[in-house]
Amino acid sequence: MEVDISEARATFETNFIAVIRMCKTFLSLLMKANGTIVQIGSVAGVIPYVFGSVYNASKAALHSFSDSLRVELAPFGVNVTTVITGGVQSRIARVERTLVPNSLYAPIEDEYNRRVTHSQDGAMPHAAYARSVVAQVLYGPAPWRWLWPWAKGRKSWIWEGNKSWLVWFLTGGWAWTGLFQRIMVRMFKLNKLHKKFARGRPIAAAFRAATGTSVPSRLGGQQRNLSIHEYLSANLLKSYGIGMPKGEVARTAEEAEAVAKSLGNDDMVIKAQVLAGGRGKGTFDNGLKGGVRVIYSPTEAKMFASQMIGRKLITKQTGAAGRLCNSVYICERKFARREFYLAVLMDRQSQSPVIVASSQGGMDIEAVAKESPEAIITTPIDINVGVTDAIANKIATELGFSEQCIPEAKETIQKLYKVFIEKDATQIEINPLSETSDHQVMAMDAKLGFDDNAEFRQKEVFSWRDTTQEDLDEVKAAEHGLNFIKLDGDIGCLVNGAGLAMATMDIIKLNGGSPANFLDVGGGATPAAIKSAFELITSDPKVSAIFVNIFGGIVRCDAIAQGLINVVQEMGLRTPIVARLQGTNMEQAHKLINESGLKIFSMEDLQNAAEKSVQFSKVVKMAREIDVGVEFTLGI
């Protein structure tokens, strides 16, 4: 009862309230990834560990919060693991604590002082604790993992640290079976949430996995799945006997007029061939609204084609820069009695194909999955068996095709899966898949993606790649074996290894800077690769400083340093460069750079190097704003 109230509040704020904030902040990402929340609890929250009542209470609160959270989040695929921690080597006793004046416990002050450092007596090394906890979170407990290797890895509770096993035994931790979790799930119908969420989850997860192009996902492995234009997708599907409206591509206004005449139809659609979603609601840089228009004559085809071809279409996916339209696809307009959604995707979670279907076609399917998950039908496919007649019939029937169309719908589903497998696709999306007024099954729109790893055996498909729809710098980087992604900042980064590149960008942000790019030159950072990397970085006029962060494991640092010096001399670079070269022959590398006489600043400490890069960048930007030159000299 001698605790300071402000200290008690601070303890709860750190050990309990901050945890709630973290869980709330990252919950959406955890739900997407079927993630695990690991809470670091303590035996102090289980036993009355004297002279630490507030700390004990904060950990007990954390345990109780975690137990409830585990039940509440289970329907959404998120696990919560509580680590009941015993004695672990730490600096927890670094702050000297003394009894208050006239304390009730003054007669046993020596015992109070012993209690302050008691947790460190025989404490488990922190590295051993970390390895054990991570292994148990990921793989389950040893030795049972070896006896029962297919047992569930994710646990509700982990007991680790000195004396934790004793507390586990004496307090009955071995009897914590989760019985009340199951009771609460059934009592308050949380299992209904699980069923509803499970229906909507596969489409969102699988669709994002197949089509996601956000910076973080691309940084994770620089995986560039090939996308092809709609007219090429239509031609490919037609070659497999899948029903598509008649149509042809045109690359000039005159060709568009000729195609419209050849269709012999006065009800057509003209579509801008741009690799981006949201074309119908897009706007061209000349002011024309809509990249998908209904037309009624060859004259209209020529008029709209002249306004689309050679112009940039700006959609919600392209950003303000837009994408260049080099051609248009003109096809007959078909009227649907019913519209459905159907996609064959590769689901990373199950590592197998999945067919995602919905009776609500012609709409944003992710919105459908979010708002009406019951309208989504997901069918995992055994890749060794494929789509059988029974599976295809079931999907066609559940979608709502009329009885006379079910045989054709079944064949269409099986043919789409055949394309998916034979062409190494990652995504085949038909939206809408329609039943027309004359009872034909037709794919009205098609979006196809292919696995880059299969390029060696899909030569024809990859010959359809349109590099004008990609970032030119990223295309050039790929030609030189570099992983490059342009960002919005002003500090150029040249790093070897994706993990180190991510860490480099993080520490730049931490120091108040902004990276201009992600650039991984790979493990064998050669002089040629460094030159190509510098050309890419310096092509961005925003770059005001360059941070080179190389770990010389496979390559020697002195070779990298010499290559760096040669490139700076050859290109006549005036942008300040901070180089941090660590690893093999790093001393020789520092010596080469320092004796080169160039404006390359060699540093060993990562924090100092990042801080200096940010400072250089700010100075250069200030100089540019007032149109003056600036020179740097680093005092040695």
Side-chain angles (χ1 to χ4, degrees):
M1 294 305 295
E2 296 176 352
V3 67
D4 182 273
I5 295 300
S6 62
E7 183 181 335
R9 287 197 181 98
T11 300
F12 265 82
E13 182 68 37
T14 301
N15 291 350
F16 185 54
I17 303 300
V19 172
I20 297 175
R21 289 196 180 104
M22 288 280 285
C23 292
K24 286 173 67 68
T25 299
F26 291 101
L27 179 59
S28 61
L29 296 176
L30 288 160
M31 289 171 64
K32 290 177 183 177
N34 265 12
T36 296
I37 298 172
V38 181
Q39 311 278 41
I40 304 300
S42 172
V43 294
V46 181
I47 61 174
Y49 204 15
V50 296
F51 303 129
S53 55
V54 172
Y55 177 84
N56 301 354
S58 70
K59 288 299 182 181
L62 178 66
H63 296 173
S64 184
F65 171 69
S66 301
D67 287 345
S68 298
L69 197 66
R70 185 178 304 117
V71 180
E72 293 167 0
L73 295 185
F76 307 104
V78 178
N79 186 64
V80 179
T81 295
T82 307
V83 184
I84 313 295
T85 305
V88 177
Q89 290 177 357
S90 69
R91 297 190 299 157
I92 195 168
R94 68 188 182 279
V95 178
E96 185 179 350
R97 295 175 60 191
T98 58
L99 291 171
V100 299
N102 303 317
S103 170
L104 296 171
Y105 306 101
I108 56 170
E109 185 172 6
D110 289 345
E111 295 305 314
Y112 175 86
N113 293 333
R114 186 170 72 86
R115 163 63 182 86
V116 171
T117 59
H118 180 262
S119 66
Q120 297 301 292
D121 294 346
M124 184 180 190
H126 53 77
Y129 170 82
R131 279 194 298 270
S132 177
V133 169
V134 170
Q136 291 187 67
V137 169
L138 295 179
Y139 310 117
W144 309 115
R145 174 59 44 186
W146 309 110
L147 299 174
W148 196 257
W150 47 86
K152 180 182 177 182
R154 301 197 300 181
K155 302 179 63 184
S156 297
W157 304 279
I158 292 173
W159 297 74
E160 193 54 275
N162 186 40
K163 299 293 195 299
S164 62
W165 67 271
L166 184 61
V167 177
W168 168 81
F169 179 77
L170 295 178
T171 61
W174 43 269
W176 294 9
T177 62
L179 173 63
F180 280 102
Q181 294 181 26
R182 292 189 286 275
I183 291 173
M184 292 297 161
V185 166
R186 285 164 175 75
M187 182 182 294
F188 295 103
K189 305 296 187 292
L190 290 172
N191 52 321
K192 288 186 176 181
L193 277 177
H194 173 75
K195 292 175 182 176
K196 183 174 181 180
F197 183 72
R199 283 195 296 265
R201 183 182 192 87
I203 170 57
F207 190 81
R208 279 192 297 270
T211 64
T213 56
S214 65
V215 168
S217 67
R218 292 161 72 196
L219 296 184
Q222 193 68 3
Q223 185 178 11
R224 293 185 174 97
N225 290 330
L226 173 70
S227 294
I228 61 174
H229 286 296
E230 180 186 357
Y231 76 92
L232 293 167
S233 298
N235 292 341
L236 178 59
L237 296 184
K238 287 175 188 175
S239 71
Y240 276 78
I242 295 168
M244 300 283 297
K246 287 193 299 182
E248 295 290 341
V249 66
R251 294 177 176 81
T252 66
E254 289 71 26
E255 284 184 16
E257 183 179 28
V259 168
K261 287 179 180 178
S262 69
L263 291 177
N265 196 318
D266 59 0
D267 201 351
M268 299 166 285
V269 180
I270 183 169
K271 303 180 181 183
Q273 294 303 279
V274 170
L275 291 179
R279 291 175 299 167
K281 295 181 180 179
T283 303
F284 284 91
D285 57 6
N286 59 1
L288 178 66
K289 302 284 187 181
V292 178
R293 305 290 295 251
V294 176
I295 54 175
Y296 300 100
S297 69
T299 302
E300 278 192 277
K302 181 179 181 180
M303 179 189 71
F304 280 114
S306 67
Q307 296 179 67
M308 293 179 176
I309 297 173
R311 313 300 305 196
K312 287 187 176 181
L313 178 63
I314 300 156
T315 77
K316 62 181 181 180
Q317 288 190 4
T318 66
R323 291 267 175 86
L324 184 64
C325 175
N326 293 312
S327 59
V328 293
Y329 182 50
I330 302 171
C331 62
E332 60 183 352
R333 187 183 180 198
K334 288 285 187 178
F335 292 91
R337 292 180 68 244
R338 296 184 177 93
E339 290 187 334
F340 312 102
Y341 173 93
L342 192 133
V344 188
L345 306 170
M346 183 57 71
D347 181 17
R348 292 179 185 173
Q349 186 176 346
S350 64
Q351 297 183 351
S352 66
V354 60
I355 294 179
V356 179
S358 174
S359 58
Q360 298 183 26
M363 301 172 62
D364 180 353
I365 193 62
E366 288 206 71
V368 173
K370 182 178 179 180
E371 296 168 10
S372 306
E374 68 281 355
I376 302 292
I377 304 166
T378 56
T379 308
I381 304 298
D382 184 336
I383 201 165
N384 297 309
V385 177
V387 179
T388 62
D389 288 348
I391 291 173
N393 259 320
K394 184 173 183 290
I395 294 172
T397 303
E398 289 183 349
L399 279 176
F401 280 97
S402 60
E403 190 171 345
Q404 63 264 49
C405 285
I406 285 179
E408 188 181 354
K410 180 208 75 164
E411 290 182 6
T412 299
I413 293 167
Q414 290 175 312
K415 288 172 181 176
L416 288 169
Y417 182 77
K418 186 178 181 181
V419 177
F420 181 84
I421 294 297
E422 291 186 358
K423 296 300 182 182
D424 291 300
T426 56
Q427 166 198 10
I428 294 182
E429 183 186 25
I430 310 299
N431 190 18
L433 176 66
S434 299
E435 177 182 331
T436 64
S437 54
D438 54 352
H439 299 292
Q440 295 183 67
V441 176
M442 290 196 130
M444 298 295 195
D445 196 357
K447 184 176 182 181
L448 276 61
F450 303 89
D451 189 347
D452 265 10
N453 295 311
E455 183 175 359
F456 71 97
R457 66 184 179 203
Q458 300 292 349
K459 298 294 185 185
E460 182 185 15
V461 170
F462 279 81
S463 70
W464 300 336
R465 180 182 181 186
D466 184 356
T467 56
T468 67
Q469 300 295 299
E470 303 173 29
D471 184 276
L472 294 180
D473 286 335
E474 292 181 23
V475 173
K476 182 180 178 182
E479 291 172 354
H480 291 90
L482 305 174
N483 290 331
F484 177 84
I485 295 174
K486 184 176 288 187
L487 303 174
D488 296 328
D490 42 48
I491 299 177
C493 301
L494 192 160
V495 191
N496 67 330
L500 185 58
M502 295 288 283
T504 301
M505 294 194 300
D506 285 344
I507 200 165
I508 287 173
K509 293 288 287 185
L510 191 64
N511 281 276
S514 181
N517 61 272
F518 169 94
L519 199 159
D520 170 20
V521 296
T526 64
I530 290 176
K531 181 180 179 182
S532 299
F534 266 96
E535 289 173 346
L536 285 168
I537 292 171
T538 55
S539 67
D540 184 349
K542 298 194 306 295
V543 170
S544 52
I546 298 174
F547 185 8
V548 179
N549 192 9
I550 299 291
F551 177 75
I554 299 174
V555 296
R556 301 190 340 256
C557 288
D558 56 333
I560 295 296
Q562 190 59 60
L564 180 60
I565 291 167
N566 294 341
V567 168
V568 172
Q569 289 175 332
E570 183 180 338
M571 297 180 65
L573 291 178
R574 296 175 60 83
T575 305
I577 300 168
V578 175
R580 176 181 178 267
L581 307 181
Q582 295 288 302
T584 309
N585 292 353
M586 53 187 280
E587 293 81 7
Q588 294 94 314
H590 294 314
K591 184 178 180 182
L592 282 170
I593 291 174
N594 291 334
E595 294 178 355
S596 68
L598 300 172
K599 300 302 181 186
I600 307 173
F601 304 102
S602 181
M603 298 185 178
E604 294 186 17
D605 183 73
L606 178 58
Q607 167 60 26
N608 289 343
E611 186 177 8
K612 194 64 67 177
S613 298
V614 173
Q615 291 171 349
F616 283 155
S617 174
K618 290 179 179 177
V619 172
V620 171
K621 285 192 292 183
M622 289 173 60
R624 287 177 179 175
E625 287 174 1
I626 59 176
D627 197 23
V628 298
V630 60
E631 292 288 340
F632 294 93
T633 301
L634 185 63
I636 304 298

